[in-house]
Amino acid sequence: MQGVLEQNGWNCAESVELNVGTGVLRSRENLFTEGEIGDIGKPFGESLSSIASIRYTAVNRQRATASSLERFLQDAEGLFRLLRNESMPLKMAQLRRTTQFSIGEIKRNKDLLGAKITATQREYTFKKAELDRMESAAITEMILEDSEYQRLVGERL
């Protein structure tokens, strides 16, 4: 691929935008063996589209879900393996594991907060029912007192 870099005036692979680089790779799929393409874990074109969407997501500042972030990291890891970069797949795998751990912590915290809010809502439902019962009893008592008062006033008149 060195010739492609020189032909386009790129001094290194990192200077190629992802969406352009994926187009270059797509047009040179024949440079890779079936085994190398199989190692990326998904069809070649699908993997390259995912790689291009990494750039799109970053440039357009789109929100990335936890699952899309994990997919991006897996696809980047596969791309580095495909490009025969020996150190980056290990770094990407480590980054992916760290990210998975962080996402797991976020999910556990969210689940804990969800359980807390459910318990709080249940507690307030019981308290509200008790307040409703007390209000109903107070109204009934006031109606009875009013009836008794009206009876007494009626007798006096």
Side-chain angles (χ1 to χ4, degrees):
M1 301 292 285
Q2 188 62 36
V4 174
L5 293 175
E6 291 171 4
Q7 178 184 359
N8 288 290
W10 298 320
N11 58 355
C12 64
E14 288 80 6
S15 64
V16 182
E17 286 194 43
L18 281 176
N19 59 330
V20 174
T22 56
V24 170
L25 291 173
R26 195 179 308 259
S27 68
R28 289 172 174 72
E29 181 177 352
N30 62 333
L31 295 176
F32 307 105
T33 68
E34 281 186 36
E36 289 172 327
I37 292 174
D39 282 347
I40 59 177
K42 60 172 63 173
F44 188 70
E46 187 180 324
S47 179
L48 293 179
S49 293
S50 176
I51 295 296
S53 66
I54 293 172
R55 178 203 177 271
Y56 183 83
T57 300
V59 168
N60 293 301
R61 299 184 186 275
Q62 291 187 327
R63 286 182 166 239
T65 63
S67 59
S68 66
L69 182 59
E70 187 171 346
R71 188 186 75 240
F72 287 158
L73 293 170
Q74 285 175 331
D75 292 342
E77 185 179 339
L79 176 66
F80 286 125
R81 278 195 313 275
L82 183 67
L83 296 175
R84 300 174 190 108
N85 184 313
E86 294 180 18
S87 63
M88 287 306 291
L90 297 174
K91 290 178 183 177
M92 291 304 298
Q94 177 61 39
L95 179 60
R96 190 165 47 86
R97 282 190 297 276
T98 301
T99 302
Q100 286 172 332
F101 179 77
S102 297
I103 290 170
E105 284 184 325
I106 290 169
K107 285 180 180 177
R108 283 186 293 279
N109 188 55
K110 234 180 183 178
D111 291 344
L112 178 65
L113 291 175
K116 282 183 180 179
I117 193 69
T118 299
T120 300
Q121 287 172 329
R122 188 175 298 126
E123 177 186 348
Y124 288 153
T125 298
F126 290 136
K127 287 181 177 181
K128 185 177 183 298
E130 178 62 18
L131 286 173
D132 288 346
R133 187 195 62 73
M134 290 170 64
E135 178 185 31
S136 179
I139 290 171
T140 300
E141 186 179 325
M142 285 182 227
I143 291 172
L144 288 173
E145 283 181 26
D146 185 50
S147 293
E148 181 63 22
Y149 182 74
Q150 287 182 21
R151 188 186 62 76
L152 289 172
V153 169
E155 285 178 6
R156 286 186 204 153
L157 288 174

